[in-house]
Amino acid sequence: MYCGHCGNRIPEACDYCVACGGPAPAPAPNTPEETNPPLARCVLTSVPGGVSFEVPWNRTVRVGRSRSADISIMDPSISRLHAELVRTEDGCVVRDLGSSNGTYVNAIGISQLTLRDGDTLHFGTVRFVVRIGVVRMGAREPVRIGEIAVSASHDSSNPADPRLRDLVRIAKDLARREPTDRILERIVEAVLNGTSADRASIATCDRATGDLTTGVHRVRGGTQDGTRHFPRSIAHHCMQERVAILTESAGRDERFHGNSIVTLGVCSAMCAPLLAADEGVLGICYVDHVRNTAPFLYDDLDFLIAASGIAAAALERQA
C-alpha cells in the first residue's frame, strides 16, 4: 500500500503515512491497484536551462559525458561515465561511478544515496533539482532517455560577476581577431585574478605526439620562467578523460601519482582541458595553490571551464 500524497510505502498495519502524515488509502481488494501499485515519479530538472528527464521504473540509467551514456551531459566537469540512477519501489537511488569531480546531494559528496523531493543534485558542477510525485505503473510510457542530451552552459554574460565580465571582454577581443598569444595571456591573467590561485598556466598540446608545452605561465605577484609548471599526472588525467578536475589535496589524491606534485609544492589544483570542435585536446588550463589555507570551490571550476572554452577557440582559430 502506497501513500497517495508522497508515494511512500505504508505498512499494512498502519493507517497513516509515516513520511508525510497523510491517511492511508482505503483497501480495495481485487482492483488494479493491487497489481498496479502507484509509484512516485522522479524527475530531474537542470538549473539553469530547465531541461527535464524522468528516471524510468526498474531500469539503471547511466549519466555521463560519453555518448554511450543514457543521459549525456556535455560539460567538461562530467566524467565519461559519471553516475547512475536506479528507480525502485523504495525510491530513486543515485550512485557515483568513481567520477573525477564527484556526485553531490545538497552540497554533500556521496557514493550512494536515495533521493528525496526537493534535493539538489550535482554531477560535477552541473546542477539538477529533484522532484518526486505520484504516478501509477502503466499510466504513461517512460521517457526514452536515450534520446535526451543535456547540454550545460556556462553563462558568461552575467554583469554582476566581475570575473565573467573579464571573460566577456576577452571573447570580444577574440571576435576582433586579436593575436592568439595576447588572448591566452589575458585568459591566464583573468584566471589568476578571478580565483585565489598562486599560479596559473596554459599549456598547448602537440596533437601528433601528445607532448605538452607551457605557453603562458604567471605567478601571483610576477612572472616565472621555465618549461613546465604543472604536474604531469594531473595534466594527463585531465587530457585522457577530457574532464575538468578539482583536487583539494593533490598530494593525497589517489588519482594522481609521481613526484612532480611534491616537487612543485602543489596543495590544491584545478585543471581543465582545451577541447577542439572534433573533441580532440588542444592543451590544458591549470591553476594551483601552494598554501593549504585557500581551497578552490566548484564555482572556481566553473569559471576555469568558461575561460578554457575561450582559450580553445583562440587556439583552434590559429590552427
Side-chain angles (χ1 to χ4, degrees):
M1 186 164 53
Y2 297 82
C3 177
H5 297 281
C6 69
N8 187 63
R9 184 196 290 268
I10 301 176
E12 291 184 5
C14 197
D15 59 359
Y16 67 93
C17 175
V18 296
C20 70
N30 302 320
T31 64
E33 280 78 1
E34 287 192 354
T35 57
N36 197 20
L39 296 169
R41 292 173 55 188
C42 181
V43 177
L44 274 58
T45 302
S46 62
V47 181
V51 178
S52 297
F53 62 86
E54 181 176 343
V55 181
W57 163 253
N58 207 25
R59 173 182 165 189
T60 299
V61 176
R62 297 180 303 170
V63 179
R65 202 182 66 257
S66 170
R67 296 190 183 280
S68 66
D70 299 297
I71 300 169
S72 183
I73 305 177
M74 299 304 172
D75 186 278
S77 71
I78 303 293
S79 295
R80 293 179 183 180
L81 289 179
H82 194 103
E84 64 183 19
L85 297 156
V86 182
R87 182 72 186 91
T88 68
E89 290 185 0
D90 297 322
C92 184
V93 177
V94 57
R95 299 188 186 104
D96 186 78
L97 297 177
S99 63
S100 288
N101 291 306
T103 301
Y104 294 80
V105 176
N106 301 328
I108 299 173
I110 60 98
S111 57
Q112 177 173 316
L113 191 71
T114 300
L115 297 171
R116 297 181 178 275
D117 184 50
D119 281 346
T120 299
L121 173 62
H122 277 84
F123 301 118
T125 66
V126 181
R127 178 161 60 104
F128 293 87
V129 173
V130 179
R131 292 299 176 199
I132 295 178
V134 176
V135 67
R136 296 180 186 281
M137 285 287 289
R140 65 189 296 273
E141 290 297 320
V143 292
R144 299 176 64 184
I145 7 188
E147 297 178 355
I148 293 180
V150 178
S151 179
S153 61
H154 299 276
D155 182 6
S156 297
S157 62
N158 179 7
D161 190 335
R163 302 189 305 177
L164 299 183
R165 289 203 300 269
D166 286 343
L167 294 187
V168 169
R169 284 193 287 267
I170 296 171
K172 289 178 179 177
D173 289 342
L174 178 63
R176 287 194 291 264
R177 312 294 296 182
E178 290 281 342
T180 299
D181 290 347
R182 188 178 303 172
I183 295 291
L184 298 183
E185 288 174 1
R186 293 194 61 192
I187 290 172
V188 168
E189 291 170 359
V191 167
L192 193 61
N193 294 332
T195 67
S196 58
D198 296 313
R199 302 179 291 202
S201 303
I202 286 180
T204 56
C205 177
D206 184 322
R207 297 183 73 173
T209 65
D211 293 336
L212 279 171
T213 303
T214 301
V216 184
H217 177 71
R218 296 285 183 273
V219 297
R220 190 169 295 280
T223 302
Q224 180 177 321
D225 296 327
T227 57
R228 184 160 67 89
H229 308 283
F230 48 84
R232 286 200 182 277
S233 56
I234 293 178
H236 286 171
H237 184 94
C238 174
M239 294 173 62
Q240 289 170 3
E241 295 296 323
R242 292 178 171 80
V243 63
I245 295 166
L246 187 156
T247 176
E248 295 178 349
S249 181
R252 296 194 297 271
D253 197 319
E254 295 180 355
R255 294 174 293 177
F256 314 123
H257 304 283
N259 297 323
S260 58
I261 290 175
V262 175
T263 302
L264 293 169
V266 179
C267 289
S268 57
M270 297 189 298
C271 189
L274 309 184
L275 298 176
D278 63 0
E279 297 188 4
V281 180
L282 302 173
I284 60 166
C285 189
Y286 172 85
V287 298
D288 66 20
H289 286 135
V290 295
R291 302 161 292 158
N292 285 316
T293 56
F296 292 113
L297 305 174
Y298 273 98
D299 282 349
D300 296 323
L301 186 62
D302 260 338
F303 177 64
L304 186 71
I305 290 169
S308 299
I310 299 174
L315 289 170
E316 200 156 33
R317 179 196 66 180
Q318 176 182 261

